[in-house]
């Protein structure tokens, strides 16, 4: 979902190198002209000096990019008494899923008086580590860093952050097998690694599938299911395992799980193919809302009635998906993982208040359960989810709720958000 591949990085690098080469070529031509004209070129030489100072190099680009994301100067950072936190968005600046996480994290940081800076990993482990190093080269070391560890660079990243003596909170459990052994667990090999916030993808996949299957059964039909998964990675695999578990438990028929790489276009084409191959399908389970909305289009273009002939479910609680559910198109969506960054901010707030790790479960972990939005509860929660932010929610109230649940699970996320939303409404009115 967040990975955009090496293609983006390749073209970005080529763009930078082209600008550098063009600038240098121009400078050399002007310098040759200066040498030929001799004493008459004093004014031209002065202009050349100005041009040389304005030439853009990779370091200049990196520095200006960081300052642009942070939104304040280094001097302001040094004189600020606020806790400084760096959030590393592993994707690009306007990625729909991570953009929502970013905005809600900003909202939590503002309410809890935390100074938040943001940089981008551009979807590759190489670019993310490079951008991280550039940030530390040009900015004061933050008090905390929140990031998703890319497989293949986890140890390099954790070693670097330990050298910087910055406290670390990681998002999602992306590291497995041998690499997991190398970095260990939070607080073990890396004492600056405070904790990990993640959600249960397998449980979420099971919840979505079970909900769709039960709806079909309630209409006295045999559930015939197809799955549209993401890429061939751990996130998709875990969600798929939840679907397969629900199939076995319910006795439903699973036709096929296909991979669409998180692409709406691929999901549309795969759905057209599945409907031709299995014309009796009445459930299409999708690993993301982005793909699910394309599946809805494909069903309608095939002449079937979405929500009646075929039920469709996805992940992410995107605003478009919430609207689609409210319009009786998409049947259900699993979500809540846009709270990952905000939960890290709340953990940092508690840490600074001396309430150590109370946002975490089992001291170093917070594995929170995602929640289901469907036709049954959409009217109750649409006011919370139809926008890209949670402006109705008071994070000061929410962090207090989490602080009283030390050592316990997070509870129902929707209920927690609704409680703090109601309290905020009462205060304002």
């Amino acid at each position: 979902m967040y990975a955009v591949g090496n293609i983006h990085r390749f073209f970005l690098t080529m763009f930078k190198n082209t600008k550098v080469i063009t600038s240098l070529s121009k400078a050399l031509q002007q310098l040759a002209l200066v040498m030929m004209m001799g004493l008459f070129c004093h004014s031209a030489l002065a202009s050349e000096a100005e041009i040389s100072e304005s030439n853009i190099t990779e370091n200049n680009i990196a520095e200006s990019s960081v300052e642009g994301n942070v939104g304040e100067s280094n001097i302001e950072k040094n004189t600020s008494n606020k806790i400084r936190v760096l959030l590393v968005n592993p994707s690009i600046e306007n990625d729909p899923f991570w953009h929502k996480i970013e905005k809600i994290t900003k909202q939590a940081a503002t309410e809890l008086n935390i100074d938040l800076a943001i940089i981008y990993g551009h979807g590759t482990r190489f670019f993310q580590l490079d951008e991280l190093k550039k940030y530390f080269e040009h900015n004061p070391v933050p008090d905390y860093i929140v990031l998703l560890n890319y497989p293949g660079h986890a140890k390099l990243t954790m070693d670097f952050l330990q050298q910087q003596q910055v406290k670390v909170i990681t998002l999602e459990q992306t590291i497995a097998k041998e690499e997991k052994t190398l970095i260990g667990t939070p607080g073990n090999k890396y004492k600056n690694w405070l904790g990990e916030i993640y959600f249960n993808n397998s449980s979420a996949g099971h919840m979505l599938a079970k909900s769709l299957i039960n709806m079909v059964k309630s209409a006295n039909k045999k559930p015939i299911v197809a799955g549209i998964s993401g890429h061939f990675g751990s996130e998709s695999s875990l969600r798929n395992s939840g679907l397969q578990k629900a199939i076995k438990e319910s006795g439903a028929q699973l036709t096929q799980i296909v991979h669409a790489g998180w692409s709406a276009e691929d999901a549309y084409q795969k759905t057209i193919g599945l409907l031709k191959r299995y014309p009796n399908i009445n459930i299409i389970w999708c690993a993301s809302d982005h793909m699910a909305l394309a599946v809805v289009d494909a069903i309608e273009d095939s002449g079937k009635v979405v929500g009646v002939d075929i039920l469709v479910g996805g992940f992410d609680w995107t605003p478009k998906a919430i609207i689609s559910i409210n319009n009786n198109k998409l049947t259900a969506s699993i979500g809540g993982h846009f709270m990952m960054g905000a939960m890290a901010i709340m953990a940092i707030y508690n840490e600074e208040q001396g309430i150590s790790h109370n946002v975490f479960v089992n001291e170093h972990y917070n594995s929170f359960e995602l929640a289901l939005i469907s036709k049954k509860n959409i009217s109750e929660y649409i006011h919370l989810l139809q926008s890209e932010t949670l402006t109705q929610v008071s994070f000061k109230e929410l962090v207090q709720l989490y602080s009283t649940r030390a050592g316990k699970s997070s509870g129902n996320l929707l209920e927690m958000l609704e409680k703090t939303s109601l309290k905020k409404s009462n205060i304002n009115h």
Side-chain angles (χ1 to χ4, degrees):
M1 189 171 354
Y2 51 80
V4 295
N6 291 321
I7 296 176
H8 177 272
R9 179 172 179 255
F10 171 78
F11 281 109
L12 182 62
T13 304
M14 288 296 295
F15 174 72
K16 290 180 182 178
N17 290 340
T18 301
K19 292 188 74 174
V20 172
I21 292 168
T22 302
S23 298
L24 289 174
S25 176
K26 184 178 179 181
L28 288 172
Q29 292 172 8
Q30 290 174 334
L31 183 58
L33 182 62
V34 169
M35 294 174 66
M36 290 174 63
M37 294 184 67
L39 296 174
F40 295 98
C41 296
H42 180 75
S43 61
L45 187 59
S47 297
E48 172 65 20
E50 292 175 2
I51 292 171
S52 297
E53 288 178 0
S54 66
N55 280 344
I56 299 175
T57 65
E58 282 199 31
N59 287 337
N60 295 144
I61 292 171
E63 188 168 0
S64 63
S65 173
V66 167
E67 289 181 356
N69 291 331
V70 173
E72 55 186 52
S73 69
N74 291 344
I75 294 175
E76 289 172 327
K77 281 179 159 302
N78 283 324
T79 58
S80 172
N81 292 323
K82 291 183 179 180
I83 298 301
R84 296 191 302 269
V85 177
L86 175 64
L87 170 66
V88 182
N89 179 334
S91 188
I92 57 177
E93 190 166 357
N94 293 311
D95 175 277
F97 175 72
W98 282 97
H99 182 64
K100 184 163 187 172
I101 290 178
E102 183 181 310
K103 292 187 76 169
I104 293 172
T105 306
K106 284 181 180 178
Q107 183 185 338
T110 299
E111 283 196 41
L112 299 176
N113 199 34
I114 289 173
D115 183 7
L116 182 69
I118 300 171
I119 61 173
Y120 299 92
H122 295 274
T124 76
R125 55 180 173 165
F126 304 102
F127 206 104
Q128 176 164 300
L129 186 56
D130 287 346
E131 290 299 297
L132 196 56
K133 289 178 178 179
K134 289 174 185 176
Y135 179 88
F136 279 89
E137 182 180 348
H138 297 288
N139 295 273
V141 175
D143 301 296
Y144 297 84
I145 185 166
V146 178
L147 83 164
L148 182 148
N149 244 334
Y150 266 109
H153 267 184
K155 188 176 188 304
L156 288 174
T157 299
M158 296 304 291
D159 286 345
F160 173 75
L161 295 176
Q162 182 172 249
Q163 291 169 4
Q164 303 303 316
Q165 298 183 348
V166 60
K167 297 176 183 177
V168 179
I169 294 176
T170 53
L171 304 178
E172 298 194 41
Q173 289 194 319
T174 55
I175 310 304
K177 299 181 180 178
E178 294 83 2
E179 193 174 14
K180 182 69 175 177
T181 303
L182 290 175
I183 64 171
T185 57
N188 182 11
K189 294 184 178 181
Y190 299 96
K191 302 303 180 185
N192 61 323
W193 186 8
L194 299 185
E196 192 163 51
I197 293 174
Y198 65 100
F199 47 91
N200 193 326
N201 270 305
S202 179
S203 175
H206 178 269
M207 186 191 305
L208 178 62
K210 192 172 181 180
S211 173
L212 297 171
I213 288 169
N214 287 342
M215 288 182 197
V216 169
K217 281 187 169 183
S218 67
N220 295 317
K221 298 178 183 178
K222 177 179 175 61
I224 303 174
V225 187
I228 306 286
S229 191
H231 53 44
F232 291 90
S234 60
E235 186 175 21
S236 296
S237 177
L238 287 169
R239 292 181 183 182
N240 294 350
S241 71
L243 165 61
Q244 291 163 334
K245 180 181 178 183
I247 293 290
K248 290 179 181 178
E249 290 175 348
S250 64
Q253 177 185 343
L254 177 63
T255 58
Q256 190 176 357
I257 298 176
V258 298
H259 290 263
W262 311 115
S263 164
E265 182 180 352
D266 284 357
Y268 180 95
Q269 295 299 333
K270 293 288 177 68
T271 301
I272 296 295
L274 285 168
L275 292 177
K276 289 179 179 178
R277 196 175 306 133
Y278 309 105
N280 295 326
I281 287 172
N282 51 29
I283 293 174
I284 299 183
W285 174 103
C286 304
S288 79
D289 285 343
H290 187 56
M291 295 189 298
L293 292 172
V295 168
V296 167
D297 291 340
I299 291 169
E300 292 182 331
D301 290 347
S302 298
K304 293 182 180 290
V305 181
V306 69
V308 178
D309 297 327
I310 303 176
L311 306 186
V312 183
F315 278 74
D316 295 343
W317 287 355
T318 63
K320 287 183 179 179
I322 296 300
I323 293 170
S324 184
I325 294 171
N326 198 46
N327 291 338
N328 295 313
K329 298 283 188 178
L330 193 64
T331 303
S333 177
I334 290 283
H337 34 326
F338 56 54
M339 286 291 293
M340 284 188 293
M343 284 186 168
I345 293 295
M346 289 190 290
I348 289 167
Y349 178 84
N350 277 350
E351 178 79 9
E352 291 297 316
Q353 299 296 316
I355 311 172
S356 182
H357 305 306
N358 279 9
V359 170
F360 294 123
V361 177
N362 299 327
E363 294 188 1
H364 293 302
Y365 293 94
N366 185 351
S367 173
F368 62 98
E369 295 295 331
L370 302 183
L372 180 79
I373 289 290
S374 68
K375 298 176 184 179
K376 295 180 181 179
N377 63 355
I378 184 68
S379 60
E380 186 178 355
Y381 296 112
I382 190 169
H383 68 288
L384 283 172
L385 305 174
Q386 61 187 349
S387 68
E388 285 194 343
T389 61
L390 292 175
T391 52
Q392 307 95 326
V393 172
S394 168
F395 280 93
K396 289 183 179 178
E397 296 283 348
L398 190 60
V399 75
Q400 289 177 16
L401 279 180
Y402 276 113
S403 297
T404 60
R405 303 176 67 86
K408 300 178 181 179
S409 72
S410 315
N412 186 297
L413 179 62
L414 282 170
E415 290 179 8
M416 299 283 276
L417 294 177
E418 183 66 17
K419 284 179 182 179
T420 54
S421 174
L422 291 173
K423 287 185 178 182
K424 191 171 185 180
S425 298
N426 291 337
I427 291 171
N428 292 337
H429 293 86

